[in-house]
Amino acid sequence: MTLGLVFIGIGLVWLPFRKWIARRQRWITSQMLGRKGEHAEPEPHYEADTEADEERVRGFEMIGVFFCSVLIVGGLLIVVLTFIFRPPWAGQ
């Protein structure tokens, strides 16, 4: 049951920060793949500059939404199945 609640918590915390995480992922992947361009300054530049960058950010954001929904639904499933098969009022 605790695992389910942790999954739900992680999914709910991740959800509001998904845009920032997606921009950070785009910046990290552009650095890893060598697409530095004008991003060579020492401070990370998280804003998307081109249409292609915006599409990448949206793609990363959709993946983030998918993982959030998987975590929340999986956590709910764990909690519900725990209540069905091992109700807390029945004892261990």
Side-chain angles (χ1 to χ4, degrees):
M1 172 120 137
T2 307
L3 179 65
L5 295 175
V6 169
F7 281 2
I8 293 170
I10 291 171
L12 290 176
V13 168
W14 191 342
L15 201 57
F17 297 108
R18 70 186 184 278
K19 281 192 183 286
W20 181 83
I21 292 170
R23 292 192 187 284
R24 177 78 175 158
Q25 286 174 330
R26 187 213 38 100
W27 182 78
I28 289 170
T29 56
S30 68
Q31 295 296 312
M32 288 174 56
L33 297 175
R35 296 185 206 148
K36 292 185 173 120
E38 62 272 355
H39 300 151
E41 67 266 8
E43 281 296 313
H45 183 65
Y46 300 128
E47 297 301 318
D49 294 330
T50 64
E51 182 81 23
D53 284 343
E54 271 304 317
E55 289 296 319
R56 284 188 200 103
V57 169
R58 270 188 241 127
F60 283 130
E61 190 177 347
M62 289 284 95
I63 291 172
V65 168
F66 171 73
F67 281 123
C68 285
S69 62
V70 166
L71 284 170
I72 292 170
V73 169
L76 285 173
L77 188 65
I78 290 171
V79 169
V80 168
L81 289 176
T82 301
F83 271 127
I84 290 173
F85 292 113
R86 276 194 325 182
W89 55 85
Q92 292 285 343

